[in-house]
C-alpha cells in the first residue's frame, strides 16, 4: 500500500516515517441511526524493512471498531474506568 501524495511531505520525511495507517472510530447513533466519526487510530513505523499491508489495516480497523464501541459507551454512560476499557487500551499498546 503506497500513497504517492505523502511521499515527499516534509513532516513525513523529517520524522522518518516509512509506513502509516489510520482507521476511523465509527459509531452509529441509537437515536437516529446516523453514523459519526468520533476519533481515529493512527499508527506509523520508521522500520525500513517492513511496510504496513492490507492485513495490518484489517487488524487496525477491527481494533478501532472495538475502541469506538468502548468510547461510545463511556461517553453515553460516563464510565471510562471499566476493566474492559483498560484491557482494550493494553491490547492497543501491545500492537
Amino acid at each position: 500500500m503506497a500513497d504517492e501524495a505523502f511521499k515527499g511531505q516534509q513532516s513525513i520525511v523529517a520524522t522518518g516515517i516509512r509506513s502509516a495507517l489510520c482507521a476511523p472510530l465509527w459509531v452509529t447513533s441509537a437515536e437516529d441511526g446516523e453514523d459519526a466519526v468520533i476519533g481515529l487510530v493512527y499508527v506509523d513505523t520508521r522500520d525500513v524493512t517492513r511496510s504496513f499491508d492490507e492485513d495490518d489495516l484489517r487488524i487496525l480497523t477491527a481494533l478501532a471498531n472495538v475502541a469506538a464501541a468502548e468510547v461510545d459507551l463511556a461517553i453515553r454512560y460516563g464510565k471510562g474506568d471499566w476493566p474492559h476499557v483498560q484491557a482494550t487500551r493494553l491490547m492497543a499498546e501491545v500492537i
Side-chain angles (χ1 to χ4, degrees):
M1 297 175 42
D3 190 335
E4 293 298 317
F6 294 106
K7 191 173 183 178
Q9 296 295 319
Q10 288 301 319
S11 61
I12 301 293
V13 173
T15 58
I17 294 171
R18 304 295 292 183
S19 187
L21 288 176
C22 191
L25 299 177
W26 289 95
V27 295
T28 302
S29 170
E31 292 82 37
D32 59 14
E34 291 290 317
D35 289 338
V37 176
I38 59 170
L40 61 90
V41 177
Y42 169 86
V43 295
D44 64 43
T45 183
R46 295 180 189 142
D47 187 344
V48 296
T49 63
R50 185 180 181 286
S51 294
F52 293 121
D53 59 21
E54 292 290 333
D55 288 336
D56 296 316
L57 181 57
R58 281 191 283 279
I59 291 168
L60 185 67
T61 300
L63 288 172
N65 290 339
V66 171
E70 296 296 332
V71 169
D72 185 48
L73 285 173
I75 290 169
R76 283 195 281 151
Y77 299 107
K79 298 180 189 254
D81 199 27
W82 299 336
H84 60 286
V85 171
Q86 292 173 350
T88 303
R89 288 181 189 141
L90 286 174
M91 183 171 48
E93 288 174 12
V94 169
I95 292 175

